[in-house]
Amino acid sequence: MSLNTKQIEKISKALGDANRLKILQHIAKKGGCGFCSEIQEESPLAQPSVSHHLKVLIEAGLIDAEKEGRNQKYTLNDAVLKEYTSAVTMLNFA
Amino acid sequence: MSLNTKQIEKISKALGDANRLKILQHIAKKGGCGFCSEIQEESPLAQPSVSHHLKVLIEAGLIDAEKEGRNQKYTLNDAVLKEYTSAVTMLNFA
DNA sequence: TAGACACATCGAAATATTTCAATATATCTT
DNA sequence: AAGATATATTGAAATATTTCGATGTGTCTA
């Protein structure tokens, strides 16, 4: 599966915010899998704002969400991240 | 030289627009070096808009500008692009 | 089942980005 | 030097994004 311009644009936009970059770093630091509550604790933002940023990351395909009881678990989508960086490096997408 | 969060954010923002992605692709297709007039011809946007997008790419460090008479030549900054993709892949930046 | 807890959604305000007409600047040509 | 050409800047309107309080939804615990 290879990414098109619209997807590259969306992923880039998702990466174009310091709060979201921090969230991704947090998840990566936790071995690619982090919980919403942890992310909220590390963030200076209000809960709905964090929720919004997580949604943007999900819609870009950078993370996947999974419910565990009343908690949300977020997993880094390494495949998408790799496809993104690969496509951007070569500027190879339609 | 390695990129920090602010720089990653800025580059991502610059990449988060279809018009700018097209511009970069055009320059890449031309061997990493393209002219303003060409870029304007290929773009559906008005001249000031193209000029604006080029400025965003320059400020992100993705391209460098050089004057040739009354024309502007834009060169892809492969080093920055590579540092960006590398940092994003590893989510490794401060 | 009532209350607590975790998270999502809505709606509105604040801020940022995109776009273009008008105009400025710099360089080339005649 | 005057006009033409190439690009940049300004200022304003349209649009998108960010943020948060209030509230909704689903799940756990007592």
Coordinates of all heavy atoms in Angstrom, one line a residue, chain A residues 19-43 54 74 76, chain B residues 91 93:
Chain A
N19 N 2.1 19.7 20.1 CA 1.4 18.8 21.1 C 1.3 17.4 20.5 O 1.5 16.4 21.3 CB 0.0 19.4 21.4 CG 0.0 20.7 22.0 OD1 0.6 20.9 23.1 ND2 -0.5 21.7 21.4
R20 N 1.0 17.3 19.3 CA 0.8 16.0 18.7 C 2.2 15.3 18.5 O 2.2 14.0 18.7 CB 0.1 16.1 17.3 CG -1.3 16.5 17.5 CD -2.2 16.3 16.2 NE -1.9 17.2 15.1 CZ -2.5 18.4 14.9 NH1 -3.5 18.7 15.7 NH2 -2.2 19.1 13.9
L21 N 3.2 16.0 18.2 CA 4.5 15.4 18.2 C 4.9 14.8 19.6 O 5.4 13.7 19.7 CB 5.6 16.4 17.7 CG 5.5 16.8 16.3 CD1 6.4 18.0 16.0 CD2 5.8 15.7 15.3
K22 N 4.6 15.6 20.6 CA 4.8 15.1 22.0 C 4.1 13.8 22.3 O 4.6 12.9 22.9 CB 4.5 16.2 23.0 CG 5.3 17.4 22.9 CD 6.4 17.5 24.0 CE 7.4 18.6 23.7 NZ 6.7 20.0 23.6
I23 N 2.8 13.8 21.8 CA 2.0 12.6 22.1 C 2.7 11.4 21.4 O 2.8 10.3 22.0 CB 0.6 12.8 21.5 CG1 -0.2 13.8 22.4 CG2 -0.2 11.5 21.5 CD1 -1.5 14.2 21.8
L24 N 3.1 11.6 20.1 CA 3.7 10.5 19.4 C 5.0 10.0 20.1 O 5.2 8.8 20.2 CB 4.0 10.9 18.0 CG 2.8 11.1 17.0 CD1 3.2 11.6 15.7 CD2 2.0 9.8 16.9
Q25 N 5.7 11.0 20.6 CA 7.0 10.7 21.3 C 6.7 9.9 22.5 O 7.4 8.9 22.9 CB 7.8 11.9 21.6 CG 8.5 12.5 20.4 CD 9.4 13.7 20.7 OE1 9.0 14.5 21.5 NE2 10.6 13.7 20.2
H26 N 5.7 10.3 23.2 CA 5.3 9.6 24.5 C 5.0 8.1 24.2 O 5.4 7.2 24.8 CB 4.1 10.3 25.1 CG 3.5 9.5 26.3 ND1 4.0 9.6 27.5 CD2 2.5 8.6 26.3 CE1 3.4 8.7 28.3 NE2 2.5 8.1 27.6
I27 N 4.1 7.9 23.1 CA 3.7 6.6 22.8 C 5.0 5.7 22.4 O 5.1 4.6 22.8 CB 2.7 6.6 21.7 CG1 1.4 7.3 22.2 CG2 2.3 5.2 21.2 CD1 0.3 7.5 21.1
A28 N 5.8 6.4 21.6 CA 7.0 5.7 21.1 C 7.9 5.3 22.3 O 8.4 4.2 22.4 CB 7.8 6.6 20.2
K29 N 8.0 6.2 23.3 CA 8.9 6.0 24.4 C 8.3 4.8 25.3 O 9.1 4.1 25.9 CB 8.9 7.3 25.3 CG 10.0 7.4 26.2 CD 10.1 8.8 26.9 CE 8.7 9.2 27.5 NZ 8.7 10.6 27.9
K30 N 7.0 4.7 25.2 CA 6.4 3.6 26.0 C 6.4 2.3 25.2 O 5.6 1.4 25.4 CB 4.9 4.0 26.3 CG 4.8 5.1 27.3 CD 4.9 4.5 28.7 CE 4.8 5.7 29.7 NZ 4.9 5.2 31.1
G31 N 7.2 2.2 24.1 CA 7.3 1.0 23.4 C 6.3 0.9 22.3 O 6.0 -0.2 21.8
G32 N 5.7 2.0 21.9 CA 4.7 2.0 20.7 C 3.3 1.9 21.1 O 2.4 1.7 20.3
C33 N 3.0 2.0 22.4 CA 1.7 1.8 22.9 C 1.4 2.5 24.2 O 2.0 2.2 25.2 CB 1.6 0.3 23.1 SG 0.1 -0.3 23.9
G34 N 0.5 3.5 24.2 CA 0.3 4.4 25.4 C -1.2 4.6 25.7 O -2.0 4.4 24.8
F35 N -1.5 5.0 26.9 CA -2.8 5.2 27.3 C -3.2 6.7 27.4 O -2.3 7.5 27.7 CB -3.1 4.6 28.7 CG -3.2 3.1 28.6 CD1 -2.1 2.3 28.7 CD2 -4.4 2.5 28.4 CE1 -2.2 0.9 28.6 CE2 -4.5 1.1 28.3 CZ -3.4 0.3 28.4
C36 N -4.5 6.9 27.2 CA -5.0 8.3 27.1 C -4.7 9.1 28.4 O -4.3 10.2 28.3 CB -6.5 8.2 26.9 SG -7.3 9.8 26.5
S37 N -4.9 8.4 29.5 CA -4.7 9.1 30.8 C -3.3 9.6 31.0 O -3.0 10.7 31.4 CB -5.1 8.2 31.9 OG -4.4 7.0 31.9
E38 N -2.3 8.7 30.6 CA -0.9 9.1 30.7 C -0.6 10.3 29.8 O 0.0 11.3 30.2 CB 0.0 8.0 30.1 CG 0.0 6.7 30.8 CD 0.6 5.6 29.9 OE1 1.1 5.9 28.7 OE2 0.6 4.4 30.3
I39 N -1.2 10.3 28.6 CA -1.0 11.3 27.6 C -1.5 12.6 28.2 O -0.9 13.7 28.1 CB -1.6 11.0 26.3 CG1 -0.8 9.8 25.7 CG2 -1.6 12.2 25.3 CD1 -1.6 9.1 24.5
Q40 N -2.7 12.6 28.8 CA -3.3 13.8 29.3 C -2.5 14.3 30.5 O -2.4 15.5 30.6 CB -4.7 13.4 29.8 CG -5.7 13.6 28.7 CD -7.1 13.0 29.0 OE1 -7.9 12.8 28.2 NE2 -7.3 12.6 30.3
E41 N -1.9 13.4 31.3 CA -1.1 13.9 32.4 C 0.1 14.7 31.9 O 0.5 15.7 32.5 CB -0.6 12.7 33.3 CG -1.7 12.3 34.3 CD -1.4 10.9 34.9 OE1 -0.2 10.5 34.9 OE2 -2.3 10.2 35.3
E42 N 0.7 14.2 30.9 CA 1.9 14.8 30.3 C 1.7 16.1 29.6 O 2.6 16.8 29.3 CB 2.7 13.8 29.4 CG 3.3 12.7 30.2 CD 4.5 12.1 29.5 OE1 4.8 12.6 28.3 OE2 5.2 11.2 30.0
S43 N 0.4 16.3 29.2 CA 0.1 17.5 28.4 C -0.4 18.6 29.2 O -1.1 18.4 30.2 CB -1.0 17.1 27.4 OG -1.4 18.2 26.7
L54 N -5.6 13.5 19.6 CA -5.6 12.1 19.3 C -6.4 11.7 18.1 O -6.0 10.9 17.3 CB -6.1 11.4 20.6 CG -5.1 11.4 21.7 CD1 -5.7 11.0 23.1 CD2 -3.9 10.4 21.5
Y74 N -3.6 3.5 22.7 CA -3.2 4.0 21.4 C -1.9 3.3 21.0 O -0.9 3.3 21.8 CB -3.0 5.5 21.4 CG -4.3 6.2 21.8 CD1 -4.6 6.7 23.0 CD2 -5.4 6.3 20.8 CE1 -5.8 7.4 23.3 CE2 -6.6 6.9 21.1 CZ -6.7 7.4 22.4 OH -7.9 8.0 22.7
L76 N 1.1 3.0 18.1 CA 1.8 3.7 17.0 C 1.7 2.8 15.7 O 1.9 1.6 15.8 CB 3.3 3.8 17.3 CG 4.1 4.9 16.6 CD1 3.5 6.3 16.8 CD2 5.5 4.9 17.1
Chain B
L91 N 11.1 9.2 15.7 CA 10.5 10.2 16.6 C 11.6 10.6 17.6 O 11.3 10.7 18.8 CB 9.3 9.5 17.4 CG 8.1 9.3 16.4 CD1 7.1 8.4 17.1 CD2 7.5 10.6 16.0
F93 N 13.8 13.6 18.5 CA 14.1 15.0 18.4 C 13.7 15.7 19.8 O 12.9 15.1 20.5 CB 13.3 15.7 17.3 CG 11.9 15.3 17.2 CD1 10.9 15.9 17.9 CD2 11.5 14.3 16.3 CE1 9.6 15.5 17.8 CE2 10.2 13.9 16.2 CZ 9.2 14.5 17.0

